[in-house]
PDB file of all heavy atoms in Angstrom:
ATOM      1  N   ARG Z 233      16.066  23.860  -6.089  1.00 97.00           N
ATOM      2  CA  ARG Z 233      14.742  24.371  -5.713  1.00 97.00           C
ATOM      3  C   ARG Z 233      14.045  25.006  -6.909  1.00 97.00           C
ATOM      4  O   ARG Z 233      12.814  25.091  -6.939  1.00 97.00           O
ATOM      5  CB  ARG Z 233      14.860  25.394  -4.579  1.00 97.00           C
ATOM      6  CG  ARG Z 233      15.167  24.783  -3.212  1.00 97.00           C
ATOM      7  CD  ARG Z 233      15.146  25.839  -2.123  1.00 97.00           C
ATOM      8  NE  ARG Z 233      15.428  25.291  -0.809  1.00 97.00           N
ATOM      9  CZ  ARG Z 233      14.506  24.760   0.010  1.00 97.00           C
ATOM     10  NH1 ARG Z 233      13.247  24.731  -0.358  1.00 97.00           N
ATOM     11  NH2 ARG Z 233      14.866  24.285   1.192  1.00 97.00           N
ATOM     12  N   GLY Z 234      14.825  25.441  -7.883  1.00 96.00           N
ATOM     13  CA  GLY Z 234      14.250  26.058  -9.074  1.00 96.00           C
ATOM     14  C   GLY Z 234      14.174  25.151 -10.278  1.00 96.00           C
ATOM     15  O   GLY Z 234      13.787  25.592 -11.365  1.00 96.00           O
ATOM     16  N   TRP Z 235      14.524  23.858 -10.114  1.00 96.00           N
ATOM     17  CA  TRP Z 235      14.559  22.939 -11.246  1.00 96.00           C
ATOM     18  C   TRP Z 235      13.160  22.350 -11.493  1.00 96.00           C
ATOM     19  O   TRP Z 235      12.936  21.171 -11.351  1.00 96.00           O
ATOM     20  CB  TRP Z 235      15.593  21.839 -11.003  1.00 96.00           C
ATOM     21  CG  TRP Z 235      17.007  22.311 -11.159  1.00 96.00           C
ATOM     22  CD1 TRP Z 235      17.454  23.584 -11.260  1.00 96.00           C
ATOM     23  CD2 TRP Z 235      18.186  21.482 -11.219  1.00 96.00           C
ATOM     24  NE1 TRP Z 235      18.819  23.626 -11.377  1.00 96.00           N
ATOM     25  CE2 TRP Z 235      19.294  22.347 -11.361  1.00 96.00           C
ATOM     26  CE3 TRP Z 235      18.393  20.112 -11.180  1.00 96.00           C
ATOM     27  CZ2 TRP Z 235      20.590  21.869 -11.455  1.00 96.00           C
ATOM     28  CZ3 TRP Z 235      19.704  19.645 -11.262  1.00 96.00           C
ATOM     29  CH2 TRP Z 235      20.788  20.505 -11.409  1.00 96.00           C
ATOM     30  N   GLY Z 236      12.241  23.219 -11.899  1.00 95.00           N
ATOM     31  CA  GLY Z 236      10.893  22.774 -12.225  1.00 95.00           C
ATOM     32  C   GLY Z 236      10.425  23.504 -13.463  1.00 95.00           C
ATOM     33  O   GLY Z 236      11.160  24.331 -14.030  1.00 95.00           O
ATOM     34  N   PRO Z 237       9.144  23.282 -13.861  1.00 96.00           N
ATOM     35  CA  PRO Z 237       8.132  22.512 -13.136  1.00 96.00           C
ATOM     36  C   PRO Z 237       8.398  21.007 -13.208  1.00 96.00           C
ATOM     37  O   PRO Z 237       9.237  20.581 -13.996  1.00 96.00           O
ATOM     38  CB  PRO Z 237       6.839  22.896 -13.884  1.00 96.00           C
ATOM     39  CG  PRO Z 237       7.296  23.229 -15.282  1.00 96.00           C
ATOM     40  CD  PRO Z 237       8.653  23.844 -15.125  1.00 96.00           C
ATOM     41  N   PRO Z 238       7.640  20.260 -12.355  1.00 96.00           N
ATOM     42  CA  PRO Z 238       6.587  20.700 -11.435  1.00 96.00           C
ATOM     43  C   PRO Z 238       7.158  21.245 -10.124  1.00 96.00           C
ATOM     44  O   PRO Z 238       8.308  20.942  -9.773  1.00 96.00           O
ATOM     45  CB  PRO Z 238       5.795  19.407 -11.191  1.00 96.00           C
ATOM     46  CG  PRO Z 238       6.823  18.328 -11.321  1.00 96.00           C
ATOM     47  CD  PRO Z 238       7.759  18.775 -12.391  1.00 96.00           C
ATOM     48  N   PHE Z 239       6.325  22.006  -9.412  1.00 95.00           N
ATOM     49  CA  PHE Z 239       6.742  22.607  -8.151  1.00 95.00           C
ATOM     50  C   PHE Z 239       5.906  22.094  -6.993  1.00 95.00           C
ATOM     51  O   PHE Z 239       4.699  21.820  -7.128  1.00 95.00           O
ATOM     52  CB  PHE Z 239       6.632  24.137  -8.235  1.00 95.00           C
ATOM     53  CG  PHE Z 239       7.730  24.752  -9.047  1.00 95.00           C
ATOM     54  CD1 PHE Z 239       7.534  25.035 -10.394  1.00 95.00           C
ATOM     55  CD2 PHE Z 239       8.955  25.058  -8.477  1.00 95.00           C
ATOM     56  CE1 PHE Z 239       8.544  25.595 -11.167  1.00 95.00           C
ATOM     57  CE2 PHE Z 239       9.985  25.610  -9.226  1.00 95.00           C
ATOM     58  CZ  PHE Z 239       9.775  25.881 -10.569  1.00 95.00           C
ATOM     59  N   TYR Z 240       6.564  21.975  -5.843  1.00 87.00           N
ATOM     60  CA  TYR Z 240       5.971  21.609  -4.572  1.00 87.00           C
ATOM     61  C   TYR Z 240       5.937  22.891  -3.755  1.00 87.00           C
ATOM     62  O   TYR Z 240       6.931  23.257  -3.123  1.00 87.00           O
ATOM     63  CB  TYR Z 240       6.812  20.516  -3.923  1.00 87.00           C
ATOM     64  CG  TYR Z 240       6.498  20.161  -2.490  1.00 87.00           C
ATOM     65  CD1 TYR Z 240       5.345  19.463  -2.166  1.00 87.00           C
ATOM     66  CD2 TYR Z 240       7.378  20.491  -1.452  1.00 87.00           C
ATOM     67  CE1 TYR Z 240       5.078  19.123  -0.856  1.00 87.00           C
ATOM     68  CE2 TYR Z 240       7.117  20.153  -0.157  1.00 87.00           C
ATOM     69  CZ  TYR Z 240       5.959  19.467   0.143  1.00 87.00           C
ATOM     70  OH  TYR Z 240       5.689  19.115   1.455  1.00 87.00           O
ATOM     71  N   GLY Z 241       4.803  23.635  -3.818  1.00 88.00           N
ATOM     72  CA  GLY Z 241       4.787  24.982  -3.296  1.00 88.00           C
ATOM     73  C   GLY Z 241       5.684  25.853  -4.164  1.00 88.00           C
ATOM     74  O   GLY Z 241       5.519  25.911  -5.382  1.00 88.00           O
ATOM     75  N   ASP Z 242       6.665  26.485  -3.543  1.00 91.00           N
ATOM     76  CA  ASP Z 242       7.607  27.317  -4.291  1.00 91.00           C
ATOM     77  C   ASP Z 242       8.863  26.550  -4.688  1.00 91.00           C
ATOM     78  O   ASP Z 242       9.794  27.126  -5.265  1.00 91.00           O
ATOM     79  CB  ASP Z 242       8.013  28.528  -3.434  1.00 91.00           C
ATOM     80  CG  ASP Z 242       6.857  29.487  -3.207  1.00 91.00           C
ATOM     81  OD1 ASP Z 242       5.970  29.554  -4.064  1.00 91.00           O
ATOM     82  OD2 ASP Z 242       6.844  30.138  -2.143  1.00 91.00           O
ATOM     83  N   THR Z 243       8.906  25.272  -4.371  1.00 95.00           N
ATOM     84  CA  THR Z 243      10.112  24.468  -4.567  1.00 95.00           C
ATOM     85  C   THR Z 243       9.856  23.365  -5.579  1.00 95.00           C
ATOM     86  O   THR Z 243       8.803  22.721  -5.552  1.00 95.00           O
ATOM     87  CB  THR Z 243      10.571  23.868  -3.229  1.00 95.00           C
ATOM     88  OG1 THR Z 243      10.961  24.931  -2.355  1.00 95.00           O
ATOM     89  CG2 THR Z 243      11.753  22.939  -3.409  1.00 95.00           C
ATOM     90  N   ALA Z 244      10.835  23.099  -6.435  1.00 97.00           N
ATOM     91  CA  ALA Z 244      10.693  22.046  -7.434  1.00 97.00           C
ATOM     92  C   ALA Z 244      10.604  20.685  -6.752  1.00 97.00           C
ATOM     93  O   ALA Z 244      11.272  20.412  -5.747  1.00 97.00           O
ATOM     94  CB  ALA Z 244      11.878  22.080  -8.396  1.00 97.00           C
TER      95      ALA Z 244
END
Side-chain angles (χ1 to χ4, degrees):
R233 286 185 180 273
W235 285 12
F239 285 95
Y240 170 72
D242 293 330
T243 295

